[in-house]
Amino acid sequence: MPQKLTALLANNRRWADKMESARPGFFTSLLQQQAPQYLWIGCADSRVPANELVDLAPGELFVHRNVANVVVHSDLNCLSVIQFAIDVLKVRHIIVVGHSQCGGVSAALRDQHVGLVDNWIRHVQDVRNRHSAWLQTVAEAERVNALCELNVVEQALNVCRTTVVREAWQRGQDVVVHGWVYRLHNGLLKDLTMTVGRLDDADAVYEEALAAVHGRYAEPPASG
Ligand SMILES: [Zn+2]
């Protein structure tokens, strides 16, 4: 097995040439300051590359990714990203992005044992357990995707409840939290309408977004 990743480095040279010829001075212009308007909190899954999905160039999207796009109240890694994004970069939007057929969500749903990551996925199991009665009403084939959407809504609510976001809202800084899901089968993002611009709205918007998830996965009424 070759030890050097020659192909990737060659790809990189071609990519940098292409960027620079399309927009001369592109890289030197980014040296001064990054000024992204958006923070993306997504899954680490290789099929969900943040910048590509929304067709944004380097410098336009601040990104944090982990298994199953989880926002844990005590995760200093994610909290630091949120804090830097809000306080220093002054991003206007924080988007929690899940995706269909998420392996982490699937493992959480089915109690699969994968290893150390089981401990991380416990947070998704908390979501599963909170909504277990409703999940039982969903057709089994759809249950993973239903939990993917519930997980986005719950993690977006967690973002709203972080001290960093609450304090930003208290001082009047414009920050809007969003929840989206990416569909692997067609490459399209769907807005789950978990869109919160102030703490007072969070619980009501959460309930509406949950109701919308429920509506999407409701069994069609029996005919006759
Ligand atoms: Zn995933």
Side-chain angles (χ1 to χ4, degrees), residues 42-45 47-48 66-69 98-105 148:
C43 182
D45 192 298
R47 298 165 294 181
V48 193
N66 60 41
V67 172
N69 43 272
H99 67 98
S100 60
Q101 301 300 323
C102 180
V105 170
C148 288

Side-chain angles (χ1 to χ4, degrees), residues 32-54:
Q32 309 304 319
Q33 171 73 60
Q34 59 166 337
Q37 301 234 343
Y38 316 97
L39 165 60
W40 172 288
I41 301 176
C43 182
D45 192 298
S46 66
R47 298 165 294 181
V48 193
N51 281 66
E52 283 93 327
L53 299 191
V54 284

Side-chain angles (χ1 to χ4, degrees), residues 68-114:
N69 43 272
V70 176
V71 178
V72 180
H73 302 305
S74 56
D75 173 15
L76 282 179
N77 185 352
C78 183
L79 293 177
S80 299
V81 169
I82 295 174
Q83 189 258 320
F84 189 83
I86 289 180
D87 292 352
V88 180
L89 299 175
K90 311 271 192 250
V91 300
R92 308 291 291 268
H93 302 275
I94 301 175
I95 316 161
V96 177
V97 189
H99 67 98
S100 60
Q101 301 300 323
C102 180
V105 170
S106 176
L109 181 67
R110 303 189 165 115
D111 278 317
Q112 286 168 344
H113 296 295
V114 185

Side-chain angles (χ1 to χ4, degrees), residues 12 18 21 58 62 73 77 85 93 97 111 124 169 177 186 188 190 209:
N12 165 255
K18 192 175 68 182
S21 54
F62 202 56
H73 302 305
N77 185 352
H93 302 275
V97 189
D111 278 317
V124 183
W169 282 337
V177 176
N186 63 7
L188 294 176
K190 178 170 181 57

